[in-house]
Amino acid sequence: MIDLGAAARILDEGRAPGRTEARAALAAHPQAPPEALYYLAGDDDAAVRRAVAGNPATPHQSFAVLAGDGEQEVRAMLAHRLAALAPDLAPAQQDRLAHMAWSALAQLAADTVAEIRATIAEAVKDLPDAPREMVRALAADRDIRVAGPVIRLSPLLAEEDLLALVDAPPLRETLTAVARRPGISETVADALVATGDALAIGTLLRNHTAAIRESTLDALVVQAAEHTAWQEPLVRRPYLPPRAAVALAAFIAEELLAPLAARTDLPAQATAQVRAAVATRLAGAAREGESAADSANRAAILADAGALNDAVLLRAAHGGEVAFVAAALATLSRMPRSAIDHAIATRCAKSVAGMCRQAGLAAATAEAVAALLAPGMPGATSVAPSLVGDGELRWRVDALARAAARSP
């Protein structure tokens, strides 16, 4: 450590014009005497005070002076210094030096500069020993960079604090921050929903740790027909009431039907109703302007939902949906799509019938599919899976696979 006499000489000589560098060097020295650093905390030069604020050796007694410094850079430097110190501080009421540090932190938490407040908020956001009033003030800040981390993570915010923030949010983002908080109660969730803020409600639905009443979810499902951004988080909630799942199946976006039908937590009756809804919505006539890729995607969604069956293929075959039926046959027979396309191109009804058999389709369905995909060939209208024996089935499947592999 620099002895006090040497420090005193630096301070004495440092008063001369152009000797600021010497005082700044002493202020930044990690082995400077605490007395010298305390003295330098009131130096006329901001660069010196900034060095004192960032020095780990600066005594706690200097924090109050530095926290009230007129220069923003000095206060910002102290904020970073105290932020590093905060996790190891004892509760203010248990330790005199800790009390000085917490008092300075509280002073900086009320600073006029948002960046300084944000530094403090980030430091104390999850600390159980931080002063509760300081945390509550940070949570109510009008800058979300300050309030957000504290609202989401501070263990010191009670339910009544969260309800007060929801009831009178300092800014709209406050609601979203509350909605992100892990483990919020049903009461807080209800309060968020009562605000009608669509973004906050969507955030709440994405918070899988939030407790949401079944009746609240039911009400949100009804509104989700208009609030389309809520549909995906509703479908993916860890718990979804069966009646809510059935209601969602009637209107959610098509790409969400498969994950809804794939849920394993629904009762058998609800699962059957969801899959029936999927089939009703997707197994009808092709959409206007539907491309081959769209048809394939529709078939994949039905397959993922467990709703791609004989009835769907029979209706599509009678409706002349070549692209959809081809994609569905490839999926159900577990054959490459290129093999299906080759059979269609060669108009080989027996090959199509063989794939229908491999797909497990009924005779009437296989006949309709073969008539659609391989029309005009002898026997096309009477082809049934039984016409293709096991040996011929294997031969045709292998031949189609080889042909598909040769295709560019």
Side-chain angles (χ1 to χ4, degrees):
M1 176 179 287
I2 299 174
D3 65 69
L4 200 54
R9 284 193 297 275
I10 293 173
L11 292 175
D12 186 55
E13 295 170 0
R15 294 193 188 95
R19 296 305 304 274
T20 301
E21 294 81 359
R23 300 199 313 279
L26 177 61
H29 201 291
Q31 295 184 329
E35 297 86 349
L37 292 172
Y38 182 79
Y39 177 81
L40 289 171
D43 197 274
D44 292 337
D45 193 289
V48 174
R49 303 196 304 276
R50 188 165 60 249
V52 174
N55 192 333
T58 295
H60 289 50
Q61 291 84 349
S62 303
F63 291 163
V65 174
L66 294 167
D69 197 281
E71 291 290 332
Q72 175 181 334
E73 291 184 354
V74 174
R75 303 195 307 276
M77 183 64 75
L78 179 66
H80 286 289
R81 165 82 177 94
L82 292 177
L85 196 63
D88 298 319
L89 288 175
Q93 64 272 21
Q94 295 181 10
D95 184 277
R96 185 175 66 87
L97 294 179
H99 176 76
M100 294 177 183
W102 284 121
S103 295
L105 280 162
Q107 192 173 347
L108 292 170
D111 200 277
T112 57
V113 178
E115 286 78 7
I116 292 176
R117 303 197 305 276
T119 298
I120 303 305
E122 186 64 29
V124 305
K125 64 181 185 292
D126 55 358
L127 299 183
D129 294 329
R132 187 166 181 270
E133 287 308 310
M134 178 182 73
V135 169
R136 292 178 65 189
L138 288 168
D141 199 278
R142 295 191 62 82
D143 191 309
I144 197 60
R145 294 172 298 173
V146 179
V150 175
I151 292 173
R152 291 197 304 272
L153 298 173
S154 178
L156 298 174
L157 294 178
E159 184 178 88
E160 58 265 28
D161 299 319
L162 299 175
L163 289 173
L165 289 169
V166 173
D167 182 58
L171 62 165
R172 183 185 179 188
E173 291 88 346
T174 298
L175 297 176
T176 308
V178 173
R180 286 197 185 102
R181 184 177 171 90
I184 58 177
S185 68
E186 292 178 341
T187 303
V188 174
D190 283 345
L192 284 166
V193 171
T195 67
D197 187 284
L199 182 59
I201 294 171
T203 303
L204 172 68
L205 291 172
R206 288 183 175 85
N207 182 352
H208 290 179
T209 68
I212 306 178
R213 297 184 210 277
E214 188 169 315
S215 58
T216 303
L217 281 173
D218 287 339
L220 293 175
V221 164
V222 173
Q223 299 175 59
E226 295 183 3
H227 293 284
T228 56
W230 298 353
Q231 293 177 12
E232 181 174 7
L234 276 167
V235 166
R236 301 189 187 281
R237 286 290 303 172
Y239 169 71
L240 190 62
R243 60 179 172 272
V246 173
L248 283 169
F251 62 80
I252 57 174
E254 289 185 357
E255 63 268 19
L256 297 175
L257 288 170
L260 178 63
R263 291 184 67 108
T264 58
D265 60 326
L266 298 175
Q269 182 179 1
T271 298
Q273 288 176 289
V274 168
R275 290 182 175 179
V278 173
T280 299
R281 290 185 58 190
L282 297 183
R287 279 74 170 146
E288 184 177 352
E290 182 173 280
S291 66
D294 295 332
S295 295
N297 185 55
R298 189 156 57 94
I301 293 174
L302 280 162
D304 289 343
L308 190 60
N309 52 33
D310 271 271
V312 170
L313 256 72
L314 186 60
R315 184 164 56 244
H318 286 160
E321 297 181 46
V322 174
F324 175 80
V325 171
L329 185 58
T331 298
L332 293 176
S333 65
R334 298 179 300 281
M335 289 289 294
R337 177 59 190 270
S338 54
I340 305 294
D341 291 341
H342 182 78
I344 294 172
T346 58
R347 303 178 76 181
C348 182
K350 274 201 169 186
S351 293
V352 174
M355 286 183 284
C356 287
R357 181 181 173 192
Q358 180 156 309
L361 299 181
T365 307
E367 182 176 349
V369 169
L372 176 70
L373 300 184
M377 299 297 288
T381 58
S382 60
V383 172
S386 59
L387 297 179
V388 184
D390 291 339
E392 186 176 0
L393 171 63
R394 286 193 296 273
W395 175 83
R396 288 187 178 278
V397 167
D398 290 343
L400 284 169
R402 289 194 299 273
R406 290 194 299 270
S407 299

